[in-house]
């Protein structure tokens, strides 16, 4: 595999924006992301600069890892956020221990099935474990069976926590967790 797996750098905000917009155009984006292409496209440059700086190399509270192809093109991405015990998560649920939260997972369709998601996850987990988190979690739409199968294969298990979606009251997101061994 001729891909470099690394953290983004703050000055790469335009590339981070580009890969996010590409991810939001994926046919299953409605199952994987909580924003639309149109919403992301409307955000100003300052948003993308700040967002990228917050997940860039050297950031303590979050890290965006990318897979960079031989030509420099970003072909995959994954972000892990650190959630502090005693806080509330994005859905308003209490966080009872220091944990990582994997979000923003995307691999270009033409690069799927070659192991990039696995190495991105390994890098994200290594970063999170290095921050002392006790577990890593992620939220998967109940209809995103491909993602569920991948995370189960990687060792994640359903926690039983179900997150309702405000945009679609009939849909649910399922929490999967991986405990630190």
């Amino acid at each position: 595999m001729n891909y470099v797996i690394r953290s983004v750098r703050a000055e790469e905000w335009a590339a981070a924006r580009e890969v996010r917009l590409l991810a939001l155009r994926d046919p299953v984006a409605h199952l994987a992301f909580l924003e639309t292409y149109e919403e992301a496209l409307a955000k100003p440059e300052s948003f993308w600069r700040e967002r990228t700086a917050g997940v860039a190399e050297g950031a303590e509270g979050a890290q965006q890892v990318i897979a960079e192809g031989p030509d420099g093109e970003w072909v995959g991405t994954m972000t892990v956020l650190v959630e502090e015990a005693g806080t509330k998560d994005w859905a308003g649920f209490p966080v009872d221990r220091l944990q990582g939260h994997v979000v923003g997972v995307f691999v270009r369709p033409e690069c799927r099935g070659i192991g990039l998601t696995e190495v991105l996850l390994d890098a994200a987990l290594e970063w999170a474990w290095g921050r002392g988190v006790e577990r890593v979690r992620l939220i998967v739409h109940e209809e995103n069976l491909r993602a569920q199968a991948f995370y189960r294969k990687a060792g994640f298990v359903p926690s039983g926590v179900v997150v309702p979606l405000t945009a679609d009251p009939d849909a649910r997101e399922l929490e999967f967790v991986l405990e630190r061994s």
Side-chain angles (χ1 to χ4, degrees), residues 141-161:
H141 193 283
E142 65 185 343
E143 293 177 17
N144 195 342
L145 301 179
R146 190 181 90 217
Q148 288 183 42
F150 169 77
Y151 293 121
R152 285 177 194 272
K153 185 178 175 188
F156 285 80
V157 295
S159 70
V161 172

Side-chain angles (χ1 to χ4, degrees), residues 60-106:
E60 286 299 315
Q63 198 77 176
Q64 182 178 1
V65 181
I66 58 154
E68 186 176 36
D71 59 358
E73 180 179 56
W74 292 11
V75 297
T77 184
M78 180 179 298
T79 300
V80 63
L81 314 171
V82 174
E83 296 175 329
E84 299 285 340
T87 63
K88 292 193 179 207
D89 70 7
W90 63 275
F93 289 100
V95 175
D96 64 356
R97 59 177 130 168
L98 183 64
Q99 64 189 14
H101 186 162
V102 173
V103 297
V105 178
F106 174 72

Side-chain angles (χ1 to χ4, degrees), residues 23-166:
L24 292 170
R25 297 200 72 149
D26 190 270
V28 296
H30 67 287
L31 297 178
F33 301 103
L34 296 177
E35 82 178 324
T36 66
Y37 173 82
E38 291 76 18
E39 289 167 339
L41 186 63
K43 292 181 176 162
E45 179 181 313
S46 59
F47 168 85
W48 295 103
R49 286 181 180 275
E50 184 177 318
R51 177 180 178 148
T52 305
V55 296
E57 188 174 63
E60 286 299 315
Q63 198 77 176
Q64 182 178 1
V65 181
I66 58 154
E68 186 176 36
D71 59 358
E73 180 179 56
W74 292 11
V75 297
T77 184
M78 180 179 298
T79 300
V80 63
L81 314 171
V82 174
E83 296 175 329
E84 299 285 340
T87 63
K88 292 193 179 207
D89 70 7
W90 63 275
F93 289 100
V95 175
D96 64 356
R97 59 177 130 168
L98 183 64
Q99 64 189 14
H101 186 162
V102 173
V103 297
V105 178
F106 174 72
V107 173
R108 291 176 183 263
E110 65 273 17
C111 297
R112 293 178 185 159
I114 63 170
L116 285 177
T117 309
E118 289 88 341
V119 295
L120 285 167
L121 182 59
D122 287 346
L125 290 173
E126 181 180 338
W127 183 87
W129 300 140
R131 298 299 169 286
V133 303
E134 298 175 38
R135 73 176 189 163
V136 173
R137 73 182 188 131
L138 48 91
I139 310 294
V140 181
H141 193 283
E142 65 185 343
E143 293 177 17
N144 195 342
L145 301 179
R146 190 181 90 217
Q148 288 183 42
F150 169 77
Y151 293 121
R152 285 177 194 272
K153 185 178 175 188
F156 285 80
V157 295
S159 70
V161 172
V162 176
V163 181
L165 293 173
T166 53

